[in-house]
């Protein structure tokens, strides 16, 4: 059961902000939004997660709408090394099983020179 | 800090043969995961260990796949006999504990091709 919907692909110019959308209209009150990315031939890499407030770390910012039905991952100054598949996931963080950490097909972000 | 180590990086076998993958998690991480990633798809959880006990193996095809983490540190995933549809990247991940924040640390994966 897909809990999130993401566009299959996006392009972004190098140096510009990359805004990756995610719809999660059936999210529960205790589910967090997680973002991972996977660079070609590497394992997924954790980026950020949040519940309802906007979050920022050294990699990205996460903007969650007030109704929590959608979110946007923002890479403020995209570089060529940010070219990757970005996965948006919803789950309960303290759940024992990682089966809830279900990766969909993600968004292929291509940063163009 | 050393990351999650996996070997081999690449393996080619013929169907009905067996194969084993090894994973060494980040030091001190109690929880270890094996994922299968078929080309063009996101990773799918196969099995999750907490120390040397199994937390979730509901998506592991137990007729041909097995995994162990005997001493609660490194782990092996075995496929016997392999089928064509087992061609995939097998990813190992670890996290500090069961009640974690959801941040998993992944290795680079082992790419299996079954001919």
């Amino acid at each position: 059961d897909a809990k999130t919907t993401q566009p299959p692909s996006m392009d972004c110019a190098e140096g510009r902000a990359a805004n990756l959308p995610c719809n999660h209209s059936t999210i529960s009150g205790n589910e967090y939004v997680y973002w991972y990315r996977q660079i070609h031939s590497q394992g997924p890499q954790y980026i950020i997660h949040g519940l309802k407030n906007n979050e920022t770390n050294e990699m990205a910012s996460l903007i969650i709408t007030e109704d929590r039905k959608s979110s946007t991952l923002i890479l403020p100054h995209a570089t060529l090394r940010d070219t990757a598949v970005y996965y948006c996931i919803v789950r309960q963080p303290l759940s024992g099983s990682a089966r809830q950490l279900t990766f969909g097909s993600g968004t292929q972000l291509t940063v163009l020179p | 800090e050393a990351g999650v180590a996996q070997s081999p990086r690449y393996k080619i076998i013929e169907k009905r043969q067996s194969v084993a993958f090894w994973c060494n998690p980040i030091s001190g991480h109690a929880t270890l995961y094996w994922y299968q990633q078929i080309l063009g798809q996101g990773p799918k959880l196969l099995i999750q260990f907490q120390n040397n006990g199994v937390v979730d193996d509901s998506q592991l095809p137990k007729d041909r796949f097995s995994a162990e983490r005997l001493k609660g540190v490194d782990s092996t995933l075995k496929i016997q006999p392999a089928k064509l549809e087992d061609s995939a990247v097998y990813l190992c991940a670890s996290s500090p504990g069961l009640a974690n924040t959801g941040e998993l640390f992944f290795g680079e994966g082992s790419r299996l091709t079954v001919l």
Side-chain angles (χ1 to χ4, degrees):
Chain A
D1 293 340
K3 285 190 169 184
T4 64
T5 304
Q6 299 177 255
S9 63
M10 292 181 63
D11 291 340
C12 175
E14 187 177 21
R16 306 295 294 270
N19 297 284
L20 293 99
C22 179
N23 287 320
H24 32 79
S25 58
T26 61
I27 191 170
S28 302
N30 59 354
E31 287 184 316
Y32 284 61
V33 179
Y34 286 79
W35 283 84
Y36 278 74
R37 74 179 183 183
Q38 188 171 24
I39 295 170
H40 184 63
S41 295
Q42 297 184 19
Q45 176 191 23
Y46 166 85
I47 302 174
I48 198 168
H49 75 281
L51 181 63
K52 57 177 72 173
N53 298 321
N54 298 337
E55 302 288 343
T56 295
N57 62 21
E58 65 277 5
M59 289 183 67
S61 295
L62 174 60
I63 308 298
I64 303 174
T65 58
E66 192 170 343
D67 63 7
R68 303 210 322 123
K69 293 184 177 182
S70 66
S71 60
T72 301
L73 179 74
I74 301 173
L75 309 179
H77 305 287
T79 70
L80 299 179
R81 288 176 293 180
D82 292 321
T83 293
V85 177
Y86 287 77
Y87 297 99
C88 170
I89 302 160
V90 296
R91 68 159 293 187
Q92 299 172 20
L94 299 184
S95 170
S97 170
R99 185 153 31 96
Q100 287 191 10
L101 198 73
T102 300
F103 292 83
S105 297
T107 295
Q108 171 66 58
L109 174 69
T110 302
V111 180
L112 304 171
Chain B
E1 174 180 90
V4 175
Q6 292 189 245
S7 67
R9 285 296 313 275
Y10 305 92
K11 187 73 176 179
I12 301 173
I13 62 173
E14 295 188 349
K15 60 183 179 182
R16 292 188 290 274
Q17 287 187 323
S18 62
V19 63
F21 302 111
W22 173 83
C23 171
N24 191 29
I26 293 173
S27 177
H29 280 193
T31 311
L32 185 147
Y33 316 77
W34 283 102
Y35 282 82
Q36 179 193 57
Q37 185 171 25
I38 294 172
L39 186 65
Q41 300 180 17
K44 182 184 83 170
L45 179 70
L46 292 176
I47 188 168
Q48 176 183 346
F49 292 96
Q50 172 72 4
N51 296 310
N52 61 351
V54 175
V55 173
D56 188 340
D57 63 357
S58 59
Q59 301 186 109
L60 185 74
K62 298 181 185 64
D63 58 335
R64 297 181 300 105
F65 286 66
S66 64
E68 60 183 15
R69 193 185 185 200
L70 294 176
K71 297 182 179 179
V73 180
D74 56 354
S75 175
T76 56
L77 175 71
K78 298 179 181 178
I79 307 174
Q80 181 179 12
K83 292 186 175 181
L84 297 177
E85 58 261 37
D86 298 331
S87 293
V89 176
Y90 291 87
L91 294 159
C92 180
S94 69
S95 65
L98 197 61
N100 65 83
T101 59
E103 181 177 355
L104 273 59
F105 298 83
F106 284 82
E108 293 190 317
S110 295
R111 181 178 298 276
L112 173 65
T113 302
V114 182
L115 303 175

